[in-house]
């Protein structure tokens, strides 16, 4: 827009507009108030004064003033930004950005928790839900209902931790003990409602073992149970192979060997290819190229029958594994007691939250 | 179970590789835990012919020999053995040979005479302990022939891990049977060297009583199902022949004398324990199986006097107990060097009776382990006759009259009916009839088809007493067919109807919540050294340190703090989520509860340079905030309340479910204050908190400095303000500062608070806020004697 002679009165203001880019911070703020202040600003006053002018002049002058106001505001803003940048550049010149940042303590989950959570998540994806049960059990749930013969050596005090009956005597078969495996929860699940069942059971189990580098009197176990019509050994092998390959890597080799547990038949051990030597044989796998990872089998007919299920109709599989052993293999720990201690130098190495 | 590779080779009539045997047994359910070589490697040695022996010029006990080792050049060898003779052949180690102990044979001078090699003794070859001189080789082989071509390679001992359901694997025949299946070949009993040809008629069958070559035999307890007996007269007790010693050693059993060794040999070969008595020591003479009477005792072969519980199954003569049946014989009737007449026992005992006798005597033996698992009562006859033949071969003598078989209730191995449809229902593969039959035959079963109802009648072999039902056969079919041949196709499934246990979600929530506060999870042992009076005690703890079940988490967590301090770690932040226990009624089930606790001490954050080397420490206000966070995670319906030097979490009904305070511990002088808390975990799902719309109108903030009388809690002030401030649109009260000390009226402290006012439907005017403030100050002054601090 070209300037009309009528607006020559705006020339001083235009000169001040031109000077804005040269002002320092203090002068800039003073000038901004002097020109644009809401109460006494020069331009503000001029805009207020428009009301007194004749209509023609009001329209022409009003337009010019508004243009000028916008230009002034833009110039002030631009100068402010320029000065701010110069200030921070000045300030930054003396900062040593190599100084360390201010950290928070890294919270950590226990390695066994990490392992258990991973296992549970994989089985959750296969339709399993988490079931839990008491750690103090009776012989009925821990042994008898699981098809242990009545004089099985596990019921010797040698292997199992019993609770002090405090003078009350209970017959063999009903004594209270600390569960030696998570399997009694299978019994509780089966007695709780009709199949199908698909549950994983993590929990603490107990044995009468000395506390030494490879044994602990209490440790974690995670167990699984699937019962339905038509479940077969093929499903057992397929499910656990899938688990191993999700848990340890898609190229994990798996094999099943016959074994024996009172509560499954047929029973098996699942081995996975040793990851340290890639199957070539090393000290960790005792030269076999394989590591034992879990025990499993088809739920024994007697267990189903004892839980009130007809084994001709319902079949199923069960499995169990030890998260401490898995954690020790995974992290290269050689003393299981490290997993029970509170040494901060150990604990902060694992399971960092958000890492 | 220790298994000799050579013994297996005797069964299978072919050489075996121990590593391959181990792999195959593992895939059949009997993993091999270790392989032990029973001798050095013979491959470096050759046959050496001594052509000349001269006295050593400088030593009386040494000889200088010339040895032909087939190379065409004679070697001069200095030898100290008294038996070295010209014209005989001996194992020879040439220069450069590495001996089993690692020694390298080099040319050297012995008392001035050069020696270029070594003539070896059996011990030097790793072949045994006798060291009476060098090993004379009776061979036609030419000098220089590798020793391995004329001598057996050393035996190897396989340590087979036998599961409790496999009594058949407690002997070499059983392992050989498995391998024969694995290799697809036949097996039969090994040859016995120079076995005497005698006519040995089958034992004569009796009921529970008989006379055996002058000895009365009686079964007076049903715990003995069968008893085969023989009296052998005129034996000569002495050392066993080398082959027998070698077999036993291969299986890890020491040679004792020829007769005892035979009984052990048959046990290790056929899983039939036997016992030989010195017949002259038997009073009566009689051998009676009966229950022990009150007060009876026995000195067993190990020299220990054992009092016998009444009812224990024992072997007795006419006057006294002479053995614990199936466990161990007695010292007074044992075979000794002067024995000439034997009474040989070959019996079947009830596994549970042997087990209880073994437990009562706390005496596990090779025999008891086998009887407990179950021996083959039908196979006993063959084992018995083989034992007699070998005794007669290695110790001489003759059977007095007939041998006897007392079998009070004759029976046959069980017959099981198997449905092929059940095999496929369980295994998921439809095996053809012929395939099923093949595996059953490999098992040793006899299969009779029953075409009328589609079932197979299966006669189980006597050596598998563990197989009692159809499902046992299904397992055997899968095992012998091969688990690896069963497919692994993942199929669809019906999900279960159960939800996750509520505690699982709560645990995960608490763990993540506390870890995100910078704490580290720990899992302490649930059993501790001491607990409160309500902590359940263990009946049979291995250690007093782990004899009580914990009734709280904090004592264990404080223990871990102290352990860290002992390691000079000052900055410690631990939490645990775990079970605590309380006694139930005597003998009954204890109560269990999930508990979550934490402890913190030391720096609140990792050292930062801006702290000037003095990082802020965890203090009680951090502890309170952590506790509030924990309570919100673990027991959201509980409220945190002030209580005597700390805080508690309390439910609406007044129940205290948690507490938090500064803790005392065995702290080094440099340790920072220690705080901790724990709370019961409520088994509730995470509460769903509905969305609160974000404010649409601005807030007005006012800071006030208040003077509080000593004894007035800030919580009283904030509670009053929040209650009365509702109608004035007061939204929050925050404590921003506290000041005690100079320039305050006596008995007062100053607390600065920030009030935020905001209406949800309009912008509040200054006048409205000021009016509200005035009213609130009036209430504070009138009800709590709290005034504005002027200045």
């Amino acid at each position: 827009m070209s300037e009309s002679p009528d607006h020559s009165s705006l020339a001083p203001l235009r000169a001040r507009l031109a000077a804005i880019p040269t002002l320092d911070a203090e002068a800039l703020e003073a000038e901004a108030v002097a020109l644009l202040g809401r109460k006494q600003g020069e331009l503000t006053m001029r805009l207020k004064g428009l009301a007194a002018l004749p209509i023609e002049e009001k329209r022409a002058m009003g337009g010019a003033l508004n243009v000028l106001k916008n230009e002034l505001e833009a110039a002030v803003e631009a100068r402010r930004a320029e000065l701010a940048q110069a200030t921070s550049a000045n300030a930054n010149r003396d900062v040593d950005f190599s100084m360390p940042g201010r950290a928070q303590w890294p919270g950590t989950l226990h390695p066994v928790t990490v392992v258990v959570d991973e296992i549970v998540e994989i089985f959750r994806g296969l339709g399993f839900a988490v079931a839990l049960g008491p750690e103090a059990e009776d012989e009925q749930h821990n042994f008898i209902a699981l098809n242990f013969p009545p004089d099985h050596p596990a019921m010797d005090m040698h292997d199992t931790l019993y609770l002090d009956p405090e003078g009350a005597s209970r017959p063999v078969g009903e004594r209270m003990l600390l569960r030696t495996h998570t399997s009694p929860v299978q019994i509780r699940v089966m007695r709780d409602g009709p199949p199908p069942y698909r549950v994983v059971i993590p929990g603490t189990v107990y044995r009468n073992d000395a506390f030494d580098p490879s044994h602990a009197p209490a440790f974690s176990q995670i167990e699984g149970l699937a019962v339905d019509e038509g479940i077969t050994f093929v499903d057992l092998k397929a499910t656990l192979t899938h688990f191993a390959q999700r848990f340890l890597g898609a190229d994990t080799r798996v094999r099943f060997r016959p074994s024996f547990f009172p509560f499954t038949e047929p029973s098996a051990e699942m081995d996975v290819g040793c990851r340290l030597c890639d199957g070539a044989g090393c000290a960790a796998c005792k030269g076999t190229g394989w590591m034992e990872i879990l025990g499993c089998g088809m739920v024994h007919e007697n267990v189903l029958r004892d839980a009130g299920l007809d084994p001709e109709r319902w079949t199923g599989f069960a499995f169990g594994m030890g998260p401490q052993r898995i954690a020790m293999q995974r992290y290269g720990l050689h003393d299981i007691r490290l997993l029970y201690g509170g040494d901060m130098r150990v604990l902060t190495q694992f399971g960092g939250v958000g890492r | 179970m220790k298994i000799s590779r050579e013994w297996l080779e005797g069964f299978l009539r072919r050489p075996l590789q121990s590593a391959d045997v181990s792999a195959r047994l593992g895939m059949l359910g009997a993993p091999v835990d270790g392989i032990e070589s029973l001798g050095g490697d013979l491959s470096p040695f050759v046959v050496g012919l001594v052509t000349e022996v001269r006295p050593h010029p400088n030593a009386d006990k040494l000889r200088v020999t010339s040895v032909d080792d087939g190379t065409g050049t004679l070697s001069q060898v200095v030898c100290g053995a008294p038996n070295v003779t010209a014209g005989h052949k001996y194992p020879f180690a040439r220069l450069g040979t590495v001996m089993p102990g690692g020694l390298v044979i080099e040319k050297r001078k012995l008392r001035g005479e050069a020696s270029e090699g070594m003539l070896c003794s059996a011990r030097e070859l790793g072949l045994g302990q006798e060291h009476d001189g060098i090993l004379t080789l009776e061979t036609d082989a030419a000098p220089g022939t590798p020793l391995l071509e004329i001598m057996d390679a050393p035996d190897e001992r396989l340590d087979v891990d036998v599961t409790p359901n496999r009594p058949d694997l407690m002997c070499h025949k059983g392992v050989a049977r498995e391998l024969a299946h694995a290799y697809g070949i036949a097996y039969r009993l090994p040859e016995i060297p120079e076995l005497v040809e005698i006519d040995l008629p089958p034992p004569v069958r009796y009921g529970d009583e008989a006379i055996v070559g002058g000895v009365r035999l009686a079964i007076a307890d049903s715990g003995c199902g069968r008893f085969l007996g023989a009296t052998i007269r005129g034996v000569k007790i002495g050392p066993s022949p080398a082959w027998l010693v070698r077999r036993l050693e291969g299986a890890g059993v020491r040679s004792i004398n020829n007769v005892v060794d035979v009984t052990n040999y048959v046990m290790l070969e056929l899983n039939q324990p036997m016992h030989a008595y010195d017949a002259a020591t038997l009073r009566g003479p009689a051998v009676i199986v009966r229950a022990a009477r009150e007060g009876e005792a026995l000195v067993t072969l190990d020299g220990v006097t054992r009092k016998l519980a009444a009812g224990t199954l024992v072997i007795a003569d006419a006057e006294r107990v002479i053995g614990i049946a199936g466990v161990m014989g007695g010292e007074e009737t044992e075979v000794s060097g002067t024995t000439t007449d034997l009474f040989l026992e070959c019996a079947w005992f009830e596994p549970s009776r042997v087990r209880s006798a073994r437990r009562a005597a706390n005496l596990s033996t090779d025999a008891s382990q086998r009887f407990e698992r179950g021996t083959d009562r039908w196979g006993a006859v063959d084992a018995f006759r083989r034992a007699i033949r070998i005794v007669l071969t290695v110790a001489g003598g003759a059977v007095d009259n007939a041998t006897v078989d007392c079998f009070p209730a004759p029976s046959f191995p069980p017959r099981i009916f198997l449905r092929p449809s059940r095999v496929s229902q369980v295994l998921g593969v439809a095996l053809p009839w012929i395939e099923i039959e093949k595996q059953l035959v490999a098992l040793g079963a006899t299969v009779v088809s029953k075409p009328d109802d589609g079932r197979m009648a299966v006669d189980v072999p006597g050596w598998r007493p563990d197989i009692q039902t159809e499902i046992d056969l299904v397992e055997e079919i899968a095992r012998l067919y091969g688990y690896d041949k069963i497919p692994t196709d993942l199929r669809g499934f019906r999900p279960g109807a159960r939800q996750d246990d509520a505690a699982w979600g709560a645990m995960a929530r608490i763990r993540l919540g506390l870890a995100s506060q910078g704490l580290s999870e720990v899992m302490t042992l649930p059993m501790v050294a001491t607990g409160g009076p309500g902590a359940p005690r263990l009946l049979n703890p291995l250690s007093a340190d782990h004899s009580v079940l914990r009734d709280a988490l904090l004592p264990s967590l404080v223990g871990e703090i102290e352990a860290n301090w002992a390691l000079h770690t000052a900055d410690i932040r631990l939490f645990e989520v775990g079970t605590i226990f309380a006694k139930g009624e005597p003998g009954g089930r204890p109560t269990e509860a999930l508990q979550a606790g934490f402890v913190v001490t030391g720096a609140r954050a990792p050292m930062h340079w801006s702290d000037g080397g003095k990082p802020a420490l965890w203090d009680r206000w951090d502890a309170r905030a952590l506790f509030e966070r924990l309570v919100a995670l673990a027991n959201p319906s509980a409220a945190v309340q002030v209580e005597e030097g700390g805080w508690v979490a309390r439910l609406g009904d007044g129940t205290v479910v948690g507490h938090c305070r500064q803790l005392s511990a065995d702290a080094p002088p440099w340790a920072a204050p220690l705080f901790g808390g724990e709370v019961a975990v409520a088994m509730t799902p995470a509460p769903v908190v509905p969305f609160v719309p974000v404010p649409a109108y601005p807030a007005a903030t006012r800071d006030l400095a208040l003077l509080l009388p000593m004894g007035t809690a800030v919580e009283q002030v904030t509670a009053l303000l929040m209650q009365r401030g509702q109608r004035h649109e007061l939204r929050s009260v925050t404590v921003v500062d506290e000041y005690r000390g100079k320039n305050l009226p006596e008995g007062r402290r100053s607390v600065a608070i920030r009030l935020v006012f905001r209406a949800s439907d309009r912008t509040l005017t200054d006048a409205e806020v000021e009016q509200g403030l005035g009213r609130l100050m009036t209430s504070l002054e009138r009800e709590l004697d709290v005034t504005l601090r002027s200045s």
Side-chain angles (χ1 to χ4, degrees):
Chain A
M1 183 186 291
S2 67
E3 202 172 301
S4 83
D6 287 328
H7 302 150
S8 58
S9 60
L10 296 184
L13 285 174
R14 291 224 153 259
R16 288 167 73 180
L17 170 65
I20 284 175
T22 65
L23 297 177
D24 66 17
E26 204 177 326
L28 177 70
E29 293 312 318
E31 184 71 348
V33 172
L35 288 170
L36 299 164
R38 210 183 297 174
K39 288 181 179 165
Q40 296 297 323
E42 209 160 317
L43 201 75
T44 316
M45 302 298 284
R46 293 283 291 267
L47 281 164
K48 280 181 182 166
L50 284 175
L53 295 178
I55 187 79
E56 288 294 310
E57 213 170 323
K58 189 195 285 183
R59 191 173 292 151
M61 187 57 102
L65 279 174
N66 273 313
V67 168
L68 185 59
K69 185 186 172 209
N70 288 342
E71 286 180 56
L72 279 167
E73 280 172 352
V76 167
E77 273 315 305
R79 180 61 183 156
R80 272 192 188 134
E82 207 175 291
L83 288 170
Q85 204 181 349
T87 308
S88 76
N90 251 343
N92 285 350
R93 194 172 306 139
D94 294 330
V95 173
D96 176 2
F97 284 93
S98 74
M99 294 286 269
R102 187 178 284 116
Q104 296 298 314
W105 292 119
T108 54
L109 294 176
H110 195 274
V112 170
T113 296
V114 173
V115 167
V116 169
D117 284 353
E118 278 181 35
I119 293 169
V120 166
E121 278 316 303
I122 292 169
F123 282 105
R124 216 196 285 278
L126 293 165
F128 288 73
V130 176
L132 302 172
E135 294 171 27
E137 267 293 5
D138 51 57
E139 288 178 314
Q140 170 60 226
H141 282 89
N142 195 73
F143 292 125
I144 314 281
L146 288 161
N147 198 39
F148 282 69
D151 59 351
H152 192 277
M155 272 175 274
D156 284 352
M157 300 272 164
H158 182 66
D159 296 320
T160 302
L161 286 165
Y162 280 84
L163 290 169
D164 187 343
E166 312 252 334
S169 91
R170 288 172 72 116
V172 173
E174 291 172 35
R175 294 176 298 179
M176 292 301 301
L177 46 77
L178 292 172
R179 66 180 178 191
T180 58
H181 44 193
T182 41
S183 308
V185 186
Q186 286 187 19
I187 305 300
R188 292 179 178 278
V189 167
M190 286 193 277
R191 289 179 180 171
D192 196 32
Y197 310 122
R198 282 178 91 81
V199 290
V200 276
I201 305 157
T204 307
V205 303
Y206 300 80
R207 300 277 166 89
N208 200 359
D209 278 332
F211 199 28
D212 66 26
S214 46
H215 297 89
F219 52 95
S220 300
Q221 197 171 65
I222 183 161
E223 174 130 355
L225 172 74
V227 175
D228 200 350
E229 288 165 324
I231 290 190
T232 71
F233 200 78
V234 171
D235 298 308
L236 175 155
K237 279 190 72 181
T239 306
L240 295 176
T241 302
H242 176 79
F243 158 72
Q245 294 177 343
R246 287 276 300 277
F247 186 58
L248 297 171
D251 58 346
T252 301
R253 293 174 307 123
V254 171
R255 74 173 185 187
F256 291 80
R257 287 183 288 110
S259 187
F260 173 75
F261 308 104
F263 36 93
T264 52
E265 186 165 27
S267 301
E269 300 273 358
M270 184 172 89
D271 296 340
V272 292
C274 177
R275 304 181 69 73
L276 294 177
C277 62
D278 208 19
C282 64
C285 60
K286 291 184 191 150
T288 62
W290 296 93
M291 300 269 237
E292 197 177 303
I293 180 168
L294 59 77
C296 56
M298 300 300 289
V299 181
H300 199 287
E301 289 182 353
N302 292 348
V303 174
L304 293 170
R305 217 174 273 126
D306 196 78
L309 301 177
D310 176 7
E312 293 292 326
R313 179 178 174 199
W314 305 104
T315 51
F317 63 83
F319 56 88
M321 60 193 122
Q324 267 91 0
R325 282 188 55 194
I326 293 172
M328 288 172 77
Q329 284 174 15
R330 173 186 286 192
Y331 297 110
L333 296 170
H334 297 296
D335 188 337
I336 197 172
R337 291 173 297 186
L338 290 173
L339 294 174
Y340 295 84
D343 189 340
M344 293 301 292
R345 303 168 306 176
V346 175
L347 294 177
T348 50
Q349 295 186 34
F350 311 107
V353 171
R355 262 194 287 180
Chain B
M1 174 68 197
K2 303 278 195 289
I3 293 288
S4 150
R5 191 206 67 228
E6 274 184 7
W7 205 330
L8 294 176
E9 288 170 340
F11 271 100
L12 297 170
R13 306 292 200 278
R14 57 170 275 183
L16 298 170
Q17 298 294 323
S18 292
D20 189 54
V21 166
S22 300
R24 287 171 189 266
L25 287 177
M27 292 310 284
L28 284 165
V32 173
D33 287 342
I35 301 169
E36 185 185 351
S37 176
L38 299 179
D41 180 7
L42 294 183
S43 58
F45 303 100
V46 297
V47 174
L49 171 66
V50 173
T51 57
E52 189 192 349
V53 178
R54 310 185 298 274
H56 192 289
N58 306 322
D60 290 346
K61 291 192 174 174
L62 296 180
R63 248 62 64 88
V64 180
T65 68
S66 297
V67 177
D68 174 1
D69 68 349
T71 54
T73 321
L74 293 182
S75 306
Q76 174 171 306
V77 174
V78 178
C79 178
N83 64 333
V84 63
T85 312
H88 280 99
K89 293 171 186 164
Y90 304 96
F92 181 62
R94 291 170 173 150
L95 291 178
T97 299
V98 180
M99 300 299 289
L103 178 78
V104 181
I105 302 300
E106 288 165 333
K107 181 169 179 173
R108 59 191 182 121
K109 284 197 170 174
L110 288 166
R111 296 282 189 97
E113 288 292 317
S115 187
E116 307 164 320
M118 185 164 91
L119 294 164
C120 304
S121 70
R123 190 170 69 179
E124 282 157 348
L125 296 178
L127 292 179
Q129 293 305 311
E130 57 278 47
H131 195 189
D132 298 335
I134 53 177
L135 181 68
T136 309
L137 299 173
E138 307 291 343
T139 177
D140 299 333
T145 305
L147 203 57
L148 265 183
E149 288 183 17
I150 62 156
M151 288 183 71
D152 291 333
D155 196 2
E156 285 170 307
R157 193 185 287 154
L158 280 64
D159 187 3
V160 181
D161 183 6
V162 181
T163 53
N165 62 328
R166 296 297 303 276
D168 61 309
L169 294 183
M170 295 298 284
C171 69
H172 285 75
K173 185 181 185 185
V175 176
R177 186 184 298 118
E178 298 281 296
L179 287 173
H181 168 71
Y183 290 114
I185 59 175
Y187 70 100
R188 58 198 159 93
L189 286 179
E191 303 287 351
I192 301 296
E194 295 159 25
L195 191 66
V196 292
E197 295 294 326
I198 52 151
D199 180 32
L200 188 62
V204 182
R205 180 73 71 83
Y206 285 88
D208 54 14
E209 205 164 353
I211 301 291
V212 191
V215 178
R216 188 171 80 92
L217 171 59
I219 299 177
D221 188 303
S222 61
C224 175
R226 194 169 194 176
F227 197 124
L228 295 134
T231 302
I232 302 174
R233 301 197 186 274
V235 297
K236 188 171 184 308
I237 304 300
S240 291
W243 69 265
L244 182 51
V245 175
R246 185 175 171 95
R247 280 288 164 275
L248 295 185
E249 195 191 340
V253 172
R254 287 189 76 84
S255 171
I256 293 168
N257 60 48
N258 47 7
V259 168
V260 172
D261 285 359
V262 172
T263 60
N264 282 332
Y265 177 87
V266 173
M267 175 182 75
L268 296 168
E269 185 169 84
L270 301 173
N271 196 32
Q272 175 62 57
M274 293 190 196
H275 190 72
Y277 300 87
D278 182 339
T281 64
L282 296 176
R283 296 181 192 165
V287 171
I288 303 156
V289 189
R290 61 168 170 85
R293 303 179 188 119
E294 201 68 56
E296 283 188 307
L298 168 72
V299 181
T300 42
L301 280 175
D302 52 5
V304 177
T305 304
R306 298 176 188 275
K307 285 184 185 149
L308 301 168
T312 304
L313 192 66
V314 297
I315 314 295
D317 62 15
E319 298 173 9
R320 61 196 165 150
V321 175
I322 57 172
I324 305 174
V327 180
M328 191 177 268
E331 200 175 56
E332 291 179 16
T333 52
E334 83 176 298
V335 171
S336 68
T338 58
T339 300
T340 57
D341 297 345
L342 301 176
F343 180 84
L344 193 63
E345 163 197 313
C346 173
W348 183 91
F349 299 116
E350 186 69 47
S352 61
R353 295 293 292 281
V354 175
R355 187 172 303 135
S356 54
R358 182 265 299 166
R359 279 187 193 164
N362 191 23
L363 179 64
S364 181
T365 61
D366 285 338
S368 71
Q369 285 167 20
R370 288 172 169 81
F371 283 120
E372 279 186 46
R373 287 170 193 248
T375 56
D376 180 0
R377 78 177 88 178
W378 301 280
V381 180
D382 289 343
F384 179 62
R385 301 183 74 194
R386 184 164 172 86
I388 293 172
R389 284 179 195 280
I390 305 176
V391 167
L392 298 182
T393 300
V394 303
V399 176
D400 181 353
N401 216 312
T403 62
V404 161
D405 173 8
C406 281
F407 200 0
S411 61
F412 296 96
R415 170 170 290 188
I416 298 172
F417 293 95
L418 172 72
R419 296 162 296 166
S421 62
R422 183 65 173 163
V423 176
S424 53
Q425 186 191 5
V426 173
L427 299 186
V429 282
L431 295 181
W433 185 285
I434 186 85
E435 184 70 51
I436 292 174
E437 197 168 332
K438 194 174 125 193
Q439 310 313 334
L440 292 172
V441 169
L443 178 70
T446 309
V447 180
V448 188
S449 57
K450 296 252 296 179
D452 48 326
D453 64 357
R455 299 186 300 172
M456 287 180 182
V458 181
D459 290 342
V460 175
W463 57 81
R464 290 302 300 270
D466 59 298
I467 298 177
Q468 292 172 354
T469 60
E470 185 186 41
I471 192 69
D472 298 329
L473 288 176
V474 173
E475 176 172 57
E476 286 301 309
I477 291 162
R479 187 177 73 80
L480 294 164
Y481 176 70
Y483 281 9
D484 49 351
K485 290 197 207 125
I486 295 174
T488 53
D489 305 316
L490 199 57
R491 302 187 305 158
F493 54 83
R494 286 203 287 176
R498 291 178 74 95
Q499 304 266 338
D500 279 353
D501 193 299
W504 185 248
M507 283 191 273
R509 208 160 67 224
I510 295 164
R511 284 177 172 136
L512 209 57
L514 291 181
S516 66
Q517 301 290 310
L519 274 55
S520 288
E521 186 184 11
V522 64
M523 285 185 182
T524 61
L525 275 181
M527 52 272 272
V528 294
T530 53
R537 306 192 63 82
L538 298 182
L539 187 60
N540 56 333
L542 266 189
S543 140
D545 286 345
H546 305 134
S547 58
V548 175
L549 289 175
R550 65 185 173 196
D551 57 357
L553 292 181
L554 278 181
S556 300
L557 290 174
V558 169
E560 294 305 326
I561 291 277
E562 288 166 350
N564 270 289
W565 279 336
L567 296 164
H568 302 281
T569 303
D571 302 334
I572 314 160
R573 310 157 302 281
L574 297 173
F575 76 91
E576 179 163 15
V577 183
T579 307
I580 60 166
F581 301 83
K583 277 179 190 168
E585 60 190 71
R589 187 175 287 280
T591 56
E592 295 178 32
L594 197 58
Q595 188 91 347
F598 71 91
V599 281
V600 291
T601 180
R604 192 160 50 180
M607 171 86 75
H608 188 253
W609 50 270
S610 63
D611 303 332
K614 288 188 179 156
L617 302 176
W618 294 101
D619 64 17
R620 58 170 61 91
W621 310 117
D622 296 315
R624 176 177 182 159
L626 278 174
F627 185 57
E628 285 171 337
R629 176 102 192 100
L630 174 58
V631 171
L633 290 163
N635 212 324
S637 54
V640 173
Q641 297 175 349
V642 176
E643 181 131 330
E644 204 68 22
W647 305 273
V648 295
R650 191 173 267 127
L651 295 178
D653 65 2
T655 315
V656 170
V657 292
H659 58 94
C660 172
R661 66 170 61 82
Q662 183 164 355
L663 303 172
S664 55
D666 187 7
W670 45 262
L674 168 65
F675 302 91
E678 67 181 302
V679 65
V681 178
M683 303 297 180
T684 50
V688 176
V689 183
F691 172 69
V692 178
V694 292
Y697 294 91
T701 303
R702 296 290 187 274
D703 286 356
L704 302 177
L706 301 177
L707 286 174
L708 276 63
M710 289 302 177
T712 299
V714 157
E715 266 178 5
Q716 294 173 269
V717 175
T718 52
L720 183 72
L721 287 171
M722 287 308 290
Q723 187 209 338
R724 300 292 155 80
Q726 253 175 359
R727 79 178 84 136
H728 304 298
E729 309 287 5
L730 177 64
R731 297 293 161 191
S732 70
V733 181
T734 310
V735 178
V736 294
D737 195 12
E738 187 197 35
Y739 174 74
R740 297 166 190 246
K742 286 190 291 186
N743 306 324
L744 291 181
E746 186 64 22
R748 303 264 160 172
R749 63 178 169 136
S750 166
V751 174
I753 57 172
R754 174 164 299 169
L755 307 180
V756 175
F757 297 86
R758 183 174 50 231
S760 56
D761 55 354
R762 64 186 192 286
T763 303
L764 289 174
T765 63
D766 282 355
E768 280 178 292
V769 174
E770 296 304 330
Q771 186 187 25
L773 261 184
R775 297 247 167 92
L776 290 173
M777 281 315 304
T778 308
S779 296
L780 282 180
E781 187 159 2
R782 194 167 56 223
E783 296 179 36
L784 294 174
D785 187 22
V786 168
T787 54
L788 272 179
R789 179 181 172 193
S790 54
S791 75

